């Protein structure tokens, strides 16, 4: 199948599954699509075992257009930009210390806890892979997924300050986590080939990717703002924002800076400064409608795609056991990585009641973790890490995602 046929098949299935979910199931769209796709995949596997060849064709489609390439080099930029457009910069700034701490120190803390814990579990199961790969696994599953989190927050009632913390952390820790992943991946692959990565190289990578991404986002966001301010034509203005996402993300990748961070920063600048000073009411309305549609469409495709990924997984008993045992480890690591910063920062600021519990349970993992795992080079560790990551993401989206609203109502009722 060529690219157009693959996109046609995925879009058709997304439309069909969305209709089924809306008409008969009633789950939140993203979660409903992932669940239906997962069940559909299991049915295909069962039919394959009965002699039908549909399963092999589905696998061929997934391999022809891999999730990690589609998400990391296409969909992610648009999703992050769309998500950050509606985040209030002033509210974000008031929670800057908390968000910055959770998105950096929190991710590092969780990575270490999961890496050490998973290494112990792996040793008990007889999985003999280098410790650096366990740390790499920790970096895969530690960041909360902005796509999953922002989708969940649309239906959850929590105090506004807590909502800003959850949304802000998910937007920024994604970019930082990708940088951490790249550093650990370089160290792991370097160790395999007998090379070592120096501390200076680590610092250079962090500065180039993280700081470079933020600065690049400011530059392209400001250029786009100046262009938006000089005209009043919503069609051209929407096209400018689309160019920021596509051309800007591609250029960030070419410059070896963090595209995700650049898109978040550009989205915040255009969504706040640009919305207030460079757009007419008509443009704001059309721009919001356009990016809301893009957000919903890409979310539908992404979560359905994650559900289909079970077709290319090999759930051997040891891999399955590793993933299941890492579920409580992931939750513990998330709780500790939130609880410690909250305790330290609570000396100088007030947190909403049950903030630690909500930040822990609302820290959903999603497609980004799966995409990063699938991008790992072939090694003896890869099959274990891919399957374990998929199990953790499935648990996070289907269990945490489906119960998040219930947990929020228990803590805060139905009012903000």
């Amino acid at each position: 199948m060529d690219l157009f046929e693959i996109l046609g098949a995925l879009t058709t299935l997304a439309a069909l599954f969305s209709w089924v979910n809306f008409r008969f199931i009633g789950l939140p769209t993203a979660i409903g699509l992932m669940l239906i796709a997962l069940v559909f995949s299991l049915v295909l596997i069962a039919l394959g075992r009965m002699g039908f060849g549909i399963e092999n064709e589905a696998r061929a489609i997934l391999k022809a257009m891999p999730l990690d390439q589609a998400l990391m080099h296409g969909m992610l930029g648009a999703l992050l930009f769309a998500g950050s457009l509606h985040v209030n910069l002033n509210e974000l700034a008031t929670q800057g210390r908390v968000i910055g701490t959770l998105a950096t120190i929190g991710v590092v803390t969780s990575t270490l806890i999961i890496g050490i814990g998973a290494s112990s579990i792996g040793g008990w199961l007889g999985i003999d892979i280098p410790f650096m790969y366990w740390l790499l696994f920790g970096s895969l599953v530690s960041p909360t997924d902005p796509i999953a989190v922002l989708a969940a927050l649309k239906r959850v009632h929590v105090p506004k300050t807590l909502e800003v913390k959850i949304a802000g952390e998910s937007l920024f820790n994604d970019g930082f986590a990708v940088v951490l992943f790249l550093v650990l991946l370089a160290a792991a692959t370097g160790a395999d080939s007998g090379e070592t990565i120096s501390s200076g190289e680590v610092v250079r990578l962090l500065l180039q990717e993280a700081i470079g991404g933020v600065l690049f986002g400011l530059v392209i966001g400001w250029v786009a703002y100046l262009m938006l301010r000089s005209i009043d034509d919503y069609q051209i203005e929407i096209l400018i924002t689309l160019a920021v996402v596509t051309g800007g993300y591609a250029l960030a990748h070419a410059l070896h800076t963090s595209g995700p961070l650049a898109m978040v920063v550009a989205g915040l600048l255009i969504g706040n400064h640009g919305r207030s000073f460079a757009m007419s009411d008509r443009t704001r309305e059309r721009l919001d409608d356009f990016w809301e549609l893009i957000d919903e469409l890409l979310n539908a495709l992404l979560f359905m795609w994650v559900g289909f990924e079970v077709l290319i997984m090999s759930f051997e008993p040891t891999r399955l056991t590793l993933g299941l045992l890492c579920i409580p480890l992931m939750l513990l690591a998330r709780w500790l990585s939130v609880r410690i910063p909250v305790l330290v920062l609570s000396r100088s600021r007030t947190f909403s009641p049950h903030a630690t519990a909500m930040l822990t349970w609302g820290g959903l993992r999603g497609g980004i973790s799966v995409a990063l795992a699938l991008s790992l080079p072939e090694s003896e560790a890869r099959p274990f890490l891919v399957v374990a990551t998929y199990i953790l993401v499935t648990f996070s989206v289907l269990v945490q995602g489906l119960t998040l609203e219930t947990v929020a109502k228990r803590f805060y009722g139905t009012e903000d």
Side-chain angles (χ1 to χ4, degrees):
M1 296 178 72
D2 60 27
L3 179 60
F4 182 78
E5 291 175 330
I6 293 173
L7 289 175
L10 289 173
T11 305
T12 301
L13 287 174
L16 177 61
F17 291 173
S18 296
W19 180 82
V20 170
N21 178 62
F22 186 88
R23 185 71 176 81
F24 301 106
I25 304 176
L27 292 175
T29 302
I31 297 176
L33 282 174
M34 181 176 169
L35 180 60
I36 294 172
L38 185 59
V39 172
F40 186 76
S41 300
L42 295 176
V43 171
L44 290 181
I45 292 173
L47 290 174
R49 301 291 164 79
M50 296 168 60
F52 298 93
I54 305 176
E55 176 191 7
N56 293 329
E57 292 186 15
R59 284 199 179 105
I61 293 175
L62 291 173
K63 291 179 179 179
M65 194 172 179
L67 175 63
D68 58 308
Q69 293 294 320
L71 178 59
M72 302 306 296
H73 300 295
M75 299 167 68
L76 182 58
L79 287 164
L80 290 175
F81 182 85
S84 59
L85 271 179
H86 300 287
V87 175
N88 187 292
L89 193 56
N90 292 327
E91 294 176 349
L92 194 68
T94 61
Q95 306 297 331
R97 286 180 60 199
V98 179
I99 291 171
T101 302
L102 292 175
T104 54
I105 297 175
V107 170
V108 172
T109 301
S110 178
T111 296
L112 290 172
I113 294 172
I114 292 177
I116 295 170
S119 174
S120 300
I121 294 172
W124 179 71
L125 292 173
I127 303 173
D128 184 21
I129 59 178
F131 178 69
M132 190 58 68
Y133 280 97
W134 293 117
L135 284 181
L136 196 57
F137 173 61
S139 72
L140 290 174
V141 298
S142 288
T144 60
D145 189 293
I147 302 158
V149 170
L150 293 175
L153 286 178
K154 292 178 181 179
R155 68 183 196 281
V156 175
H157 296 276
V158 296
K160 187 62 179 178
T161 55
L162 182 57
E163 179 183 341
V164 172
K165 291 185 184 75
I166 297 174
E169 182 209 358
S170 70
L171 286 169
F172 281 98
N173 75 4
D174 164 63
F176 179 78
V178 171
V179 174
L180 181 62
F181 169 80
L182 292 174
V183 171
L184 291 175
L185 180 61
T189 54
D192 286 345
S193 60
E195 299 177 0
T196 58
I197 181 172
S198 66
S199 57
E201 182 68 10
V202 170
V203 173
R204 187 193 67 79
L205 280 173
L206 287 172
L207 291 176
Q208 181 175 330
E209 290 282 345
I211 306 301
V214 171
L215 293 176
F216 183 71
L218 284 172
V219 170
I220 60 174
W222 185 255
V223 171
Y225 163 74
L226 294 177
M227 295 175 69
L228 294 171
R229 193 178 64 175
S230 66
I231 61 173
D232 185 15
D233 185 308
Y234 75 87
Q235 294 171 324
I236 298 176
E237 292 179 80
I238 289 175
L239 187 59
I240 290 171
T241 61
L242 193 58
V244 168
V245 170
T246 55
Y249 195 90
L251 184 55
H253 180 70
L255 296 174
H256 301 288
T257 61
S258 174
L261 283 176
M263 291 303 102
V264 170
V265 172
L268 288 172
L269 197 156
I270 294 173
N272 287 268
H273 205 62
R275 188 189 300 274
S276 300
F277 303 109
M279 300 180 193
S280 64
D281 291 339
R282 187 185 188 198
T283 296
R284 278 192 290 269
E285 182 180 350
R286 297 300 176 88
L287 185 76
D288 287 344
D289 289 342
F290 174 80
W291 282 107
E292 182 178 350
L293 177 61
I294 295 295
D295 186 47
E296 292 294 331
L297 174 61
L298 293 182
N299 261 309
L301 289 172
L302 173 61
F303 279 88
M304 182 187 70
W305 208 329
V306 171
F308 282 142
E309 287 297 315
V310 72
L311 287 167
I312 59 175
M313 301 287 174
S314 178
F315 292 95
E316 295 182 359
T318 304
R319 300 172 189 173
L320 181 62
T321 304
L322 172 66
L324 293 175
L325 291 178
C326 282
I327 291 175
L329 174 63
M330 175 186 70
L331 294 174
L332 174 63
R334 173 63 180 172
W335 184 82
L336 288 172
S337 66
V338 169
R339 185 58 180 166
I340 295 172
V342 167
L343 285 175
V344 173
L345 294 172
S346 61
R347 299 175 182 176
S348 58
R349 64 185 306 121
T350 302
F351 286 84
S352 305
H354 313 293
T356 300
M358 279 304 301
L359 283 165
T360 300
W361 200 247
L364 305 182
R365 276 65 168 181
I368 292 174
S369 293
V370 176
L372 289 176
L374 291 172
S375 72
L376 290 171
E378 291 297 331
S379 67
E380 59 179 351
R382 187 180 187 275
F384 295 99
L385 303 189
V386 169
V387 171
T389 300
Y390 189 82
I391 291 172
L392 294 182
V393 169
T394 301
F395 170 85
S396 185
V397 173
L398 296 184
V399 178
Q400 292 176 252
L402 284 176
T403 58
L404 184 59
E405 187 174 5
T406 301
V407 173
K409 285 180 179 179
R410 181 177 179 182
F411 288 152
Y412 307 109
T414 58
E415 299 296 327
D416 286 342

